[in-house]
């Protein structure tokens, strides 16, 4: 008997036929006594359709109402998938995030799971039902619906697996595991059998779209192994866990990632006063706008002004623009330039600490490929460079080629 | 200052442009201190689209899952309408049925409102917000989502008006009031300024689609006047209340109604034993299938068998068929015939009790129009005849002509 939480994303449930396919696939792999909890996202384009309805009314709809609107997407999927199981003669029940006991913090559109009360799910499992839970959503103490933001369904799945004490959390996706680089960009990228939470976290943070950082953190927190595998085949993918259990050929780095979902914000001519960085970044944090690479440069020492450059996610650009323009006015800065034509390429590997040659090798690969580096940042297990978005493909291939050549 | 609950149905909110129109209209009529609660249905064809998705998976989906699915329809509308108010600069908040405190009984697809906890709505009104509530839905004690069935949004609106102590409940619809007959069928039907709860109840029960009986009962229970008016004009419609407040020209009857949403079920050769009617109708009641006209006829006194004929709603036919076929087998009856090509025409009026000529006048009108009567039933304030569905139009016109001629 195994206790498994399985998550299927939007493309796996894009049509009613695919939903039936998911139900059939789950039953094919299920052993008689297995306990199965499924977490699903909204069907294919549903979210986009809902967003376009909202935009038809208000170009900047309130996030509380967007959450109310978008959370219907998963609710549609869970009911249809449950019907599919019932049609196949298997008892099943659907639960919204709230019904499944997912308690979230109150930041709309970017809520965090603060608690999981698994009572209802356990009661339904005890009745031998397959439980189908809406991913991406939860409710606040007040009973308001919140969504978890990008990749939220993965987080729901891993958090549930942890709270329920499941053996493993399987994330079904359109790729068949975690690769040394995005296989759509790098032809000879390698699939890994295992990867550690920390490496995966760093790769995810740096743009590997397979898993969102929050869900990997959740797995690390609960110690739940996460199996990233393909929706379309029955073969094994990559298991994310605390430590390796098998030997694989070692390379200095584990992967090359890229992220085009970034924008560069440059606040020019900021008065160089103590507390000015706090003013800027606390204002952004208050609106839950994540800031990544930060570079503070002295422009003119005589005039005591600086430039503050940082990156944010593209979806945050609208909100950040309003906020930063107000900050510029309040601080008496010269202005703000936002550039959405940027991307971040990174190398990741737990073994890179203490290997000083890696940065040089990476910069060399970019230089040879004719790619300019705009901003550089490093962590214990990664090095990242901000470059022009339209040079991503050649940049990633050049770096991958250097590190993963046979 | 007035405290008004306003309900807009699916055709009033069929597109995002119409949703904006509803917001504008509400603001146009709103006095500065008015407290406004809106109840809305799913957008135009949303419900049909959701149903067809479900049918693509299972032709007889479970009703719990259908409720889970269909309740997303209103949730979409409330968020969009709230965005429309916010875009117009007015503070508003959307609430699902559950969030609005609508507690329902557990019969899926046909739940009843058993309680309303108005705390959250009152708290939001105190913050000077317009509150937009999802009609047609509520939650059970377990937290499961239920829908109220046909016309459920009217019931939500009237129940909320009652529980909140609102001054009036306005039902906006595509007709501009209650008529002496359906104006789409009878050209010179008359609009009434007022009608009593009891008359409206009887007309609704007998097929006047303007208001569902359950919502009129709710109004009577709470003593909330219900104003039925047009979405498209600002003029007054018909107010449903306990007693008339103005004098109108009196006719013997108040209205002629028809209902094509009925099916005739004839159980043939039922063994004539005590308790047999209980067996049949308690089985139907258990599945919440409403039974209307009942006629029990002795077919053959020697063989001690009877025929049991009754009418049900067309949407219940599938479920009733399965149930009755099983009953026929268990009881040893001869068989069942279900006829969906029937309709019910009725005359309604509180003053008809003690006017024996009315039945004769009605039957005469039908006879002159060449319409056969299959079943007759009467109440204190109405007389109904079951006829062939394709003769409805001539039947209603013939009756209306007799009673409402100048």
């Amino acid at each position: 008997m195994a206790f498994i939480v399985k998550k299927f994303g939007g493309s796996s449930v894009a049509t009613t036929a695919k939903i039936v396919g998911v139900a059939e696939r789950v039953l094919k792999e299920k052993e008689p006594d297995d306990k199965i909890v499924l977490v699903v996202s909204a069907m294919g384009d549903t979210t986009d359709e809902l967003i376009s309805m909202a935009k038809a009314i208000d170009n900047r709809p309130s996030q509380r109402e967007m959450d109310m609107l978008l959370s219907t997407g998963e609710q549609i999927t869970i009911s249809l998938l449950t019907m599919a199981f019932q049609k196949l003669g298997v008892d099943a029940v659907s639960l919204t995030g709230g019904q499944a006991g997912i308690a979230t913090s109150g930041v709309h559109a970017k809520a965090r799971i603060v608690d999981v009360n698994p009572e209802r799910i356990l009661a339904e499992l005890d009745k031998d039902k397959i439980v189908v839970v809406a991913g991406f959503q939860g409710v606040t103490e007040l009973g308001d619906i919140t969504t978890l933001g990008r990749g939220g369904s993965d987080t729901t799945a891993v958090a549930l697996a942890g709270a329920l004490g499941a053996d493993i959390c399987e994330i079904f996706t359109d790729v068949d595991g975690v690769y040394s680089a995005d296989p759509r960009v790098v032809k000879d990228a390698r699939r890994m059998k295992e990867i550690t939470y920390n490496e995966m976290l760093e790769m995810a943070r740096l743009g590997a779209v397979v898993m969102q950082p929050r869900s990997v953190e959740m797995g690390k927190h609960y110690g739940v192994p996460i199996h990233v595998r393909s929706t379309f085949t029955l073969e094994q993918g990559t298991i994310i866990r605390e430590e390796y259990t098998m030997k694989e050929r070692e390379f200095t780095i584990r992967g090359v990632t890229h992220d085009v979902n970034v924008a560069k914000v440059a606040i020019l001519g900021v008065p160089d006063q103590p507390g000015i960085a706090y003013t800027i970044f606390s204002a952004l944090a208050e609106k839950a706008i994540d800031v990544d690479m930060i570079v503070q440069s002295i422009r003119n020492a005589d005039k005591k002004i600086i430039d503050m450059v940082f990156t944010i996610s593209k979806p945050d650009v609208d909100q950040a623009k309003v906020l930063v323009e107000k900050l510029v006015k309040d601080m008496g800065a010269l202005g703000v330039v936002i550039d959405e034509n940027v991307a971040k390429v990174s190398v990741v590997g737990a073994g890179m600490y203490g290997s000083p040659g890696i940065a040089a090798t990476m910069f060399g690969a970019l230089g040879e490929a004719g790619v300019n580096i705009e901003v550089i940042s490093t962590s214990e297990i990664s090095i990242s460079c901000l470059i022009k978005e339209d040079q991503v493909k050649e940049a990633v291939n050049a770096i991958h080629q250097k590190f993963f050549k046979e």
Side-chain angles (χ1 to χ4, degrees), chain A:
Chain A
M1 194 217 74
F3 186 172
I4 311 173
V5 175
K6 293 168 185 264
K7 179 256 169 179
F8 289 87
S11 57
S12 304
V13 294
T15 63
T16 50
K18 285 190 176 184
I19 287 174
V20 173
V22 165
E24 286 167 345
R25 191 226 156 97
V26 167
L27 295 179
K28 188 186 262 174
E29 287 192 320
K30 183 180 181 297
E31 301 291 332
D33 287 333
D34 282 355
K35 291 185 183 180
I36 307 286
V37 175
L38 292 175
V39 174
V40 288
S41 307
M43 292 169 73
D45 304 324
T46 305
T47 305
D48 289 340
E49 283 163 20
L50 292 171
I51 290 174
S52 75
M53 282 203 281
K55 297 263 174 185
I57 286 175
D58 187 351
N59 213 28
R60 280 190 202 170
S62 94
Q63 293 190 318
R64 181 190 184 279
E65 298 307 325
M66 278 308 281
D67 279 359
M68 178 67 94
L69 180 67
L70 295 182
S71 61
T72 62
E74 293 81 39
Q75 196 173 323
I76 291 171
T77 318
I78 56 171
S79 54
L80 295 175
L81 181 54
T82 302
M83 290 173 194
F85 280 114
Q86 290 169 342
K87 174 76 175 174
L88 294 167
V90 174
D91 214 359
V93 63
S94 68
L95 299 174
T96 62
Q99 290 170 345
I102 312 275
T104 52
S105 66
V107 184
H108 284 288
K110 288 189 177 180
R112 290 200 153 211
I113 296 176
V114 291
D115 197 16
V116 178
N117 174 356
E119 253 178 59
R120 176 81 191 263
I121 296 181
L122 292 172
E124 301 291 353
L125 288 171
D126 276 350
K127 293 183 219 153
D128 284 328
K129 291 187 187 180
I130 289 180
V131 180
V132 183
V133 177
F136 184 67
Q137 58 179 248
V139 293
T140 65
E141 265 181 294
L142 246 183
D144 281 348
I145 299 171
T146 51
T147 65
L148 306 177
R150 207 152 64 110
S153 294
D154 289 356
T155 312
T156 304
V158 180
L160 281 180
L164 292 163
D167 301 316
I168 194 161
C169 179
E170 297 183 341
I171 305 288
F172 290 85
T173 153
D174 50 4
V175 295
D176 55 3
V178 180
Y179 278 73
S180 58
D182 187 334
R184 289 168 301 189
V185 173
V186 178
K187 227 176 49 203
D188 53 355
R190 293 152 188 276
R191 185 172 73 192
M192 289 167 267
K193 291 208 175 78
E194 293 181 310
I195 186 170
T196 66
Y197 294 123
N198 284 342
E199 285 170 335
M200 189 68 236
L201 265 178
E202 193 70 357
M203 285 182 66
R205 189 178 74 79
L206 296 173
V209 289
V210 183
M211 291 289 294
Q212 281 304 111
R214 183 75 191 130
S215 53
V216 182
E217 270 167 29
M218 202 64 98
K220 184 177 155 82
H221 171 74
Y222 283 112
V224 186
I226 302 170
H227 185 179
V228 178
R229 51 189 302 208
S230 166
T231 311
F232 313 110
T233 73
L234 294 178
E235 60 179 302
Q236 296 286 301
T238 303
I239 295 182
I240 310 168
R241 51 173 27 130
E242 189 57 38
E243 290 191 340
Y244 293 104
T245 62
M246 355 181 193
K247 250 311 194 230
E248 284 186 275
R249 178 170 167 196
E250 274 175 38
F251 293 97
T252 341
I253 65 165
R254 289 296 288 175
V256 184
T257 63
H258 64 279
D259 187 358
V260 297
N261 190 38
V262 293
K264 185 177 76 172
V265 181
I267 309 183
L268 308 176
V270 180
D272 187 15
Q273 292 156 358
I276 207 81
Y278 174 77
T279 306
I280 295 172
F281 295 110
S282 64
L284 289 160
E286 239 172 55
K287 296 287 180 187
I289 297 172
D290 276 331
V291 171
D292 187 29
M293 312 169 97
I294 300 177
V295 178
Q296 176 179 320
S297 63
I298 294 173
R299 190 200 220 173
N300 188 322
D302 297 335
K303 289 193 185 155
K304 300 237 183 231
I305 54 174
I306 53 164
D307 292 344
M308 189 73 84
V309 179
F310 54 89
T311 58
I312 59 173
S313 295
K314 278 207 176 88
D316 287 337
V317 162
D318 284 354
Q319 210 187 351
K321 192 161 189 279
V322 176
L323 190 68
V324 171
E325 277 168 358
K326 188 173 173 305
L327 283 174
V328 163
K329 221 171 146 188
D330 293 351
M331 298 186 301
L334 293 179
V336 57
V337 177
I338 296 180
D339 183 0
E340 298 195 41
N341 179 28
V342 292
K344 188 169 56 177
V345 291
S346 314
V347 296
V348 177
M352 81 164 48
Y353 182 70
S355 307
I358 290 177
T361 307
M362 182 183 185
F363 303 154
L366 290 174
E368 281 169 31
V371 176
N372 267 330
I373 301 171
E374 302 199 13
V375 182
I376 296 168
S377 71
T378 59
S379 83
E380 234 178 75
I381 61 170
S382 70
I383 305 166
S384 301
C385 300
L386 198 71
I387 61 170
K388 285 283 167 226
E389 183 174 348
D390 42 28
Q391 292 185 304
V392 158
K393 194 169 176 175
E394 50 213 288
V396 172
N397 273 291
I399 297 168
H400 193 271
Q401 170 66 20
K402 279 272 190 239
F403 286 102
F404 289 91
K405 66 183 169 215
E406 297 291 341

